[in-house]
Amino acid sequence: MSKKQAAIVLRKTCLVAMITLCACSAEIESEREDHPLPEGADVSERPPGVRGDILTGTSAGTPATFNPLVSEDASSSEAIARILDGLTRFDPVKEEVVPALAESWDISDDSKSFTFHLRRGVRWSDGEPFTADDVVFTFKAIYDERYPNRMQMEFAVGGEPFEVEKIDEHTVRITTPEVYAPFLLYIGTPILPRHKLHEAYEDGTLMRQWTISTASGSPEEIVATGPFRIRSFRPAQRMIYEPNPHYWRADKEARRLPYVDFFIERFVQDQNASMVAFASGQSDHQGITPDQVGWIRRNAERHDYGVHDRGPSTSTNFIWFNQNPGKNENGTPFVEPHKLEWFTNKKFRQAVSYGIDRQGLIDGVIFGRGEPLWSSVSPANTQWYNPNVKTYPFDPDKARSLLKEEGFQYRDGRLYDADGNRVTFTLITNEDNRLRANMATVFMENMKDLGIEVRLRLLDFSNFVNRITDSLSYEAGLLGFTGGRDPHGGMSIYSSGGRLHVWHPNQPEPATEWEARIDELMQKQLLTLDEEERREYFNEVQYIMSEQMALIYLITPNTYEGMRNRWKNIDPPNMGSMIWNIDEIWAEQRLLR
């Protein structure tokens, strides 16, 4: 971006920001409700702060739902995490599971039974008591076949669900069929309010609850146990969160958290404008793409913010081919048969991988701020990353040799299969992610050098997700997963029956021997508490994924985050957002009084 372009965007952004603040000012003025702290309140270990002010940020995506059973995208998951808590939570600084709605737990000698002691006196944001009934109700909903959701797979061992029983109002016992290694980490799933959702559960409408329409028209219906509740929501514009008046955490001076009066998140499609807004002091927190770091750093002292280099991102970026052999309701194949034959050919996929100039992507798209990606796990996850997977250094000659081995032929520089079909396909990705669009453009040029014609189609995110998870009518896609801490977080990706097994989702039985082997390994890594043994199993999973190239990994960009210096109790973890402890963050220099 030139200085002139930046100045134009800056003027427009400042004007929009002033209009937005003026429009919001009347809407967000309010007094906090004053309620006694619960008997089992959790006390923050961080230095006490001061209440007040507004924390602002931006998001490139708008939540699609506030229902954890429906949520499959990052924007929805982030919003849900601010309003709903689980029995446990993960502290990314301590790198350990800590108590949340459960203040403690006991583990049986065989490590298969967990008795959770719930915090006493905790209430939902509408004042209704939080009890064991809410926990039992949540798992009953998760396991109900009427409501298919990804957690059904995550909370099962060998297809067998957990047994969840109420001991008394404040005690729940959860028993697993076998040892389940990441149990305490994943049992932190959001707990649902029985008093609000039980009727919908009974009449079969549970998956249609807590939609964006609910948040827009009746936000009070979405009750919370987390630090915030929704005050107002305008799709594609912004979300205003306000403190949950019954939140179960406090500081050392017995003041209920969170400190901020409001958290405002604006939804943006133009990431450039969003970053200019941050760089000019119009927002407090901002994820910064690698291609924008240089000029934003130059403004840091003037506008009193810091730009933090977080190292490699935990996310993965990849291209994949639709390998689903099925047909739609009209009997039309999802993928033309001759293209399906290409896409299901391992050497074709490997040839494509050898034909990608990853260093060119790094240098041209993210200005050298990243590294090639060969594994389904980012190098940022040092605990589980396998550095000894198969790699595909840029080698167009090797790519062409592999293609010729499989019967492909070149005529006038164009690639044809053995039956004379020109090798061409359409690649889809989401239009709101500029880096992905740029990576797709470079990929198209790389494939042209192999004689392959790639057509790029940019879709809005909801349409894109629908294509790859529901209609299944597409040829190739470019996407990224955010990445989790534990292998089990990718169960829906690795498992042949998973919804996020994007190249061929929801398989009733594994379509290939290698997918069956991954299914076996992913189950084995669950059934041992020996971390080294788990690592061996998961290393093999990563190697198989790198050899098969069902997901053709691209690059891992470095992660950068900007934060205004006036905010305190910022404690950046090795992995995760800088505002992971948003309930403890407070403003030392008050802008609003």
Side-chain angles (χ1 to χ4, degrees), residues 151-455:
M151 289 180 282
Q152 288 175 351
M153 180 173 291
E154 292 175 0
F155 294 132
V157 181
E160 293 295 317
F162 302 165
E163 180 183 341
V164 183
E165 55 183 322
K166 172 183 174 181
I167 306 302
D168 58 41
E169 288 297 299
H170 297 97
T171 313
V172 176
R173 180 177 297 128
I174 302 179
T175 304
T176 61
E178 300 290 343
V179 169
Y180 180 88
F183 178 86
L184 287 174
L185 179 63
Y186 284 98
I187 210 63
T189 191
I191 300 299
L192 299 172
R194 186 183 186 280
H195 71 284
K196 280 290 187 182
L197 298 176
H198 183 260
E199 183 177 339
Y201 170 82
E202 292 293 336
D203 67 21
T205 64
L206 182 58
M207 301 294 267
R208 299 198 294 274
Q209 303 305 307
W210 289 15
T211 63
I212 57 175
S213 295
T214 313
S216 301
S218 306
E220 70 280 357
E221 291 299 310
I222 304 177
V223 296
T225 50
F228 296 99
R229 63 184 178 186
I230 301 170
R231 182 176 179 102
S232 68
F233 173 67
R234 294 182 182 175
Q237 294 185 39
R238 55 106 183 98
M239 174 104 78
I240 299 179
Y241 298 90
E242 64 182 359
N244 173 359
H246 293 282
Y247 187 45
W248 49 273
R249 299 196 73 214
D251 67 13
K252 295 175 182 177
E253 296 177 358
R255 285 174 300 196
R256 176 177 266 114
L257 300 176
Y259 290 115
V260 298
D261 286 336
F262 300 98
F263 173 50
I264 300 179
E265 188 169 46
R266 289 187 295 124
F267 306 124
V268 297
Q269 287 191 334
D270 186 343
Q271 289 182 320
N272 280 337
S274 174
M275 284 179 272
V276 169
F278 170 76
S280 61
Q282 302 301 316
S283 63
D284 296 300
H285 172 253
Q286 177 68 47
I288 301 171
T289 55
D291 56 326
Q292 302 290 326
V293 169
W295 74 268
I296 291 179
R297 275 180 171 158
R298 288 193 290 272
N299 284 329
E301 184 175 353
R302 178 180 178 186
H303 292 289
D304 196 28
Y305 60 76
V307 175
H308 303 262
D309 185 345
R310 308 291 310 285
S313 170
T314 58
S315 64
T316 57
N317 295 285
F318 52 84
I319 286 169
W320 80 98
F321 296 107
N322 187 352
Q323 299 183 47
N324 196 315
K327 301 177 181 180
N328 64 23
E329 58 187 14
N330 298 320
T332 304
F334 295 129
V335 181
E336 293 179 81
H338 68 280
K339 293 188 178 184
L340 183 64
E341 189 173 341
W342 309 338
F343 299 162
T344 54
N345 184 326
K346 178 179 73 172
K347 288 190 177 181
F348 175 83
R349 300 192 299 269
Q350 289 178 335
V352 168
S353 190
Y354 278 117
I356 299 172
D357 184 2
R358 291 170 175 81
Q359 192 58 49
L361 284 172
I362 293 168
D363 295 338
V365 176
I366 58 175
F367 297 88
R369 300 183 179 106
E371 56 187 270
L373 180 68
W374 310 114
S375 171
S376 56
V377 176
S378 161
N381 191 341
T382 55
Q383 182 179 8
W384 296 105
Y385 174 67
N386 178 7
N388 300 313
V389 296
K390 186 175 177 62
T391 63
Y392 298 82
F394 183 47
D395 192 340
D397 290 337
K398 187 172 182 64
R400 295 186 190 97
S401 176
L402 280 173
L403 291 168
K404 290 176 181 177
E405 284 179 21
E406 297 304 297
F408 291 90
Q409 304 168 359
Y410 282 95
R411 295 202 296 269
D412 299 324
R414 297 179 176 183
L415 186 67
Y416 295 83
D417 67 16
D419 295 322
N421 296 299
R422 174 78 194 279
V423 180
T424 178
F425 57 84
T426 298
L427 176 73
I428 62 173
T429 192
N430 52 311
E431 62 186 358
D432 59 338
N433 191 305
R434 187 185 66 259
L435 289 182
R436 284 183 196 154
N438 290 343
M439 285 191 285
T441 301
V442 175
F443 173 74
M444 289 170 59
E445 292 301 313
N446 288 165
M447 293 302 99
K448 182 186 277 189
D449 290 341
L450 296 184
I452 299 173
E453 180 187 20
V454 180
R455 297 179 297 273

